[in-house]
Amino acid sequence: MLSTDVLVIGGGATGAGVAWDAALRGFDVVLVDRHDLGSGTSGRFHGLVHSGGRYAVKDPDAAEECAHENGIIRTVAAEAVEDTGGLFVTTPFDDPSYADRFAAGCKATGVPCEEIEVADARRLEPRLNSGISRAFRVPDASVDVWKMVWGLARGIQDRGGRVLPYHEAIAIHRDGDRVTGARLRNTGTDEELDVEARITVSASGAWAGRIAELAGIEGVHVMPGRGIMIAMNHRLVNTVVNRCQMPTDGDIIVPVRTVSVIGTTDVHTDDPDDHTVLQEEVDAMLEDGERLVPGFKQARALRVWTGVRPLFEDRKESSESTRDVTRAHALLDHDKRDGVSGFLTITGGKLTTYRLMAEETVDAVCKQLGEQRACTTATERINGSENGDYLHLSDRFSRREQGLLDDQLVCECELIARRRFEDAVRRRASINLDDIRRILRLGMGPCQGGFCIYRATGIVHGLERIDAAQASDSLLAFLRERWKGVWPILYGDQLRQVRLDDWIFQGILDVGHLPS
Ligand SMILES: Cc1cc2nc3c(=O)[nH]c(=O)nc-3n(C[C@H](O)[C@H](O)[C@H](O)COP(=O)(O)OP(=O)(O)OC[C@H]3O[C@@H](n4cnc5c(N)ncnc54)[C@H](O)[C@@H]3O)c2cc1C
């Protein structure tokens, strides 16, 4: 049995943000996730720190929030942010009258925006459609969410908090009208563990309705909105490029580390674990890419993935905001809403607004506990971001240069050296190669693990972290997971790559008959 002040269920950006905020205010915290941190929607999103431009016309409140939080994330989480800047461009496919409404919307909502000459935009991004008629600069940025979430987690641990990935909440404990904690199941060992908490926060995104049901609370309905994204092999653009039109499918390309990502769609689904990818969605997304960057389809598509938006709809009849499906965030104080104290739900919103969501949630925690403590997350830098330097694509080259002659390379695509890989394995105390992938980007380049994953498996085995059977399972699990994102875009160079990987793994390694 663990005892704590605040138990946070859900280790995405929101949950990690809540736990960090509570830890900074001096509360003892326990943060749990059923999988790894950042493996829900936060690890399956588009990678964009919104400037607010996207919402400037359609949703002015969201635009204002994003503009404000964008400035804060750039400071407190600098290490995870690449300052790419953003462009909104009017392509021949867009309504030309939108541009003036866009500029007015940015002005009204405080989104920094400057119209620039089309020639300057094309100088900045030479691959852009030559038919562009207007261009605006905004402070969009891209973010490595795993760096950010683990930066928050390390800060929580430094302040005595406990972070428990692979711990699923399977029951919420109640003492009459009060939630008193939860029962967790370690998904690796199947062991169960009770956590007693003064207050329990569900930050479980698209799964929030299920957690509320565990607490015996009805009507927390989160509609999962599934969206696909496709990573292309190169930085086809170095700036976040948005079409200047009302938000729609496939209208943004985000440069994220070594790739550029086009997205997204929004399809209603009933299951937050639904990761269906339809071929027609992929085809349409590639066509959308052509509209911004002609020749887009000829580039090498690396991978497709989906995420689910938590869209909150309050179905409780007595609620003040009934039947309101919203992209804004929703903080539910279940004491006020359902007469159940010691329990809060925070869901919806955007990754860009995670800190604001956390601040409002911990304010409500303080209120329920009757202890006023000030929030400092707008100024306190998270671990790794102390010196305020942004992430640069060239960082990995300079790091590699330092150990060029005395360290082996494990992953050529992402320039991961052996020492760094071994450090990550020790630090994470994880034998799951997918966890290491999220930290180091192992296997996320063009070969999708084809050349590095057997080396990585051998090294983890050599460190005596796993036995032969676990090594085989780990390798196969990684390959299966990678395959899910590759098959829908099998054409051109990526098809050739997959054939080569197939020869390596089936022909040379005979992965179907590994030692068990
Ligand atoms: C396709 C797509 C693109 C997007 N692009 C952007 C973008 O570019 N910029 C932006 O700002 N926002 C974007 N968003 C929105 C943003 O990604 C989400 O709003 C945000 O990541 C939600 O974070 P979260 O922490 O609330 O939820 P999640 O990251 O989903 O975290 C919830 C966690 O709860 C855990 N959990 C569930 N059940 C249990 C249980 N029983 N026990 C323990 N843990 C449990 C899950 O494993 C999960 O990790 C996008 C969303 C989608 C779908």
Side-chain angles (χ1 to χ4, degrees):
M1 157 89 86
L2 295 179
S3 238
T4 190
D5 292 326
V6 186
L7 167 64
V8 183
I9 300 173
T14 310
V18 169
W20 165 241
D21 187 322
L24 281 177
R25 295 197 210 196
F27 290 109
D28 184 58
V29 298
V30 173
L31 171 67
V32 304
D33 198 285
R34 62 181 187 153
H35 296 314
D36 196 14
L37 300 189
S39 60
T41 309
S42 298
R44 310 182 67 90
F45 84 131
H46 203 169
L48 172 60
V49 183
H50 287 286
S51 58
R54 183 164 178 78
Y55 305 106
V57 176
K58 194 177 176 190
D59 187 346
D61 290 343
E64 271 179 38
E65 272 180 13
C66 287
H68 185 249
E69 291 302 308
N70 176 299
I72 295 174
I73 290 181
R74 282 165 171 276
T75 307
V76 299
E79 192 215 14
V81 173
E82 191 184 344
D83 183 21
T84 57
L87 284 174
F88 278 75
V89 294
T90 306
T91 75
F93 306 95
D94 304 324
D95 170 7
S97 71
Y98 184 83
D100 287 333
R101 291 163 64 205
F102 171 78
C106 287
K107 197 167 173 207
T109 54
V111 175
C113 168
E114 178 203 359
E115 180 155 17
I116 59 171
E117 296 293 332
V118 168
D120 290 336
R122 296 208 55 229
R123 218 166 282 129
L124 199 64
E125 290 300 341
R127 288 196 174 92
L128 277 184
N129 190 320
S130 59
I132 280 165
S133 53
R134 296 186 67 181
F136 300 87
R137 285 194 85 144
V138 293
D140 284 339
S142 79
V143 60
D144 182 326
V145 72
W146 297 303
K147 257 186 192 300
M148 190 177 89
V149 167
W150 277 101
L152 293 166
R154 288 200 309 276
I156 294 162
Q157 288 166 328
D158 287 352
R159 283 159 182 79
R162 284 154 286 182
V163 177
L164 305 177
Y166 296 105
H167 280 74
E168 179 179 13
I170 53 170
I172 302 284
H173 297 315
R174 271 178 71 162
D175 178 5
D177 288 339
R178 197 166 73 86
V179 165
T180 56
R183 168 156 293 198
L184 310 176
R185 184 177 65 89
N186 180 324
T187 57
T189 62
D190 265 349
E191 279 169 287
E192 294 186 3
L193 169 72
D194 285 313
V195 182
E196 188 183 60
R198 293 171 71 198
I199 194 153
T200 300
V201 176
S202 165
S204 47
W207 295 265
R210 294 186 182 172
I211 300 293
E213 273 173 22
L214 289 181
I217 292 169
E218 299 293 322
V220 177
H221 189 246
V222 183
M223 286 197 342
R226 181 168 51 78
I228 75 161
M229 287 137 289
I230 304 179
M232 309 302 284
N233 186 23
H234 298 291
R235 298 266 292 220
L236 296 171
V237 290
N238 284 302
T239 312
V240 175
V241 179
N242 308 257
R243 275 173 63 185
C244 195
Q245 59 170 3
M246 272 296 193
T248 182
D249 289 353
D251 57 352
I252 314 181
I253 305 178
V254 185
V256 183
R257 309 293 286 255
T258 50
V259 300
S260 20
V261 180
I262 180 144
T264 172
T265 50
D266 194 357
V267 179
H268 171 68
T269 170
D270 291 324
D271 178 7
D273 291 300
D274 172 9
H275 292 300
T276 311
V277 175
L278 300 175
Q279 194 60 55
E280 54 265 33
E281 288 177 322
V282 172
D283 296 344
M285 191 62 58
L286 293 172
E287 287 302 335
D288 288 331
E290 286 288 319
R291 296 194 172 103
L292 274 166
V293 172
F296 190 86
K297 281 193 292 187
Q298 267 85 59
R300 179 168 170 176
L302 284 188
R303 184 168 185 80
V304 184
W305 70 94
T306 60
V308 281
R309 286 180 190 80
L311 303 175
F312 175 68
E313 176 185 25
D314 201 332
R315 286 193 174 166
K316 191 172 160 66
E317 278 174 14
S318 60
S319 160
E320 287 164 19
S321 53
T322 45
R323 310 207 72 75
D324 180 25
V325 182
T326 172
R327 271 168 198 260
H329 59 267
L331 172 63
L332 307 182
D333 180 334
H334 294 290
D335 192 13
K336 284 192 200 140
R337 182 184 183 271
D338 309 284
V340 178
S341 64
F343 188 53
L344 299 166
T345 294
I346 176 76
T347 185
K350 297 163 197 64
L351 192 120
T352 306
T353 56
Y354 85 93
R355 192 212 61 84
L356 178 67
M357 292 162 70
E359 176 175 348
E360 289 177 11
T361 307
V362 184
D363 283 349
V365 166
C366 290
K367 212 167 173 186
Q368 275 215 15
L369 297 180
E371 298 175 25
Q372 283 319 305
R373 304 184 189 187
C375 172
T376 55
T377 53
T379 49
E380 190 81 33
R381 293 174 192 267
I382 68 177
N383 280 35
S385 295
E386 292 82 357
N387 63 11
D389 289 344
Y390 287 131
L391 181 72
H392 291 284
L393 189 56
S394 57
D395 290 349
R396 52 191 212 129
F397 287 108
S398 32
R399 204 171 27 229
R400 182 69 197 131
E401 289 274 296
Q402 286 162 20
L404 195 60
L405 297 175
D406 59 1
D407 202 358
Q408 294 170 337
L409 209 50
V410 179
C411 170
E412 283 92 350
C413 303
E414 296 291 338
L415 297 181
I416 302 166
R418 180 171 183 149
R419 214 170 292 150
R420 201 163 150 245
F421 174 77
E422 291 184 353
D423 281 352
V425 173
R426 287 197 191 94
R427 198 161 18 96
R428 270 307 306 275
S430 172
I431 57 165
N432 184 337
L433 289 170
D434 220 32
D435 293 350
I436 309 301
R437 169 183 74 80
R438 279 184 279 273
I439 296 177
L440 299 182
R441 297 183 63 82
L442 178 78
M444 287 175 77
C447 80
Q448 290 288 297
F451 300 147
C452 61
I453 206 60
Y454 50 85
R455 293 176 193 151
T457 310
I459 293 170
V460 181
H461 184 235
L463 291 172
E464 298 185 357
R465 294 268 161 173
I466 47 177
D467 61 23
Q470 287 171 318
S472 304
D473 289 348
S474 182
L475 179 79
L476 287 172
F478 191 93
L479 291 176
R480 276 193 211 105
E481 196 51 42
R482 291 284 91 190
W483 174 247
K484 282 186 206 162
V486 171
W487 71 262
I489 38 96
L490 279 187
Y491 67 90
D493 284 339
Q494 201 58 4
L495 178 56
R496 288 183 198 97
Q497 178 72 53
V498 165
R499 289 298 294 136
L500 176 59
D501 290 351
D502 192 47
W503 284 324
I504 294 172
F505 287 102
Q506 305 274 10
I508 300 174
L509 289 180
D510 194 14
V511 284
H513 303 93
L514 289 173
S516 58

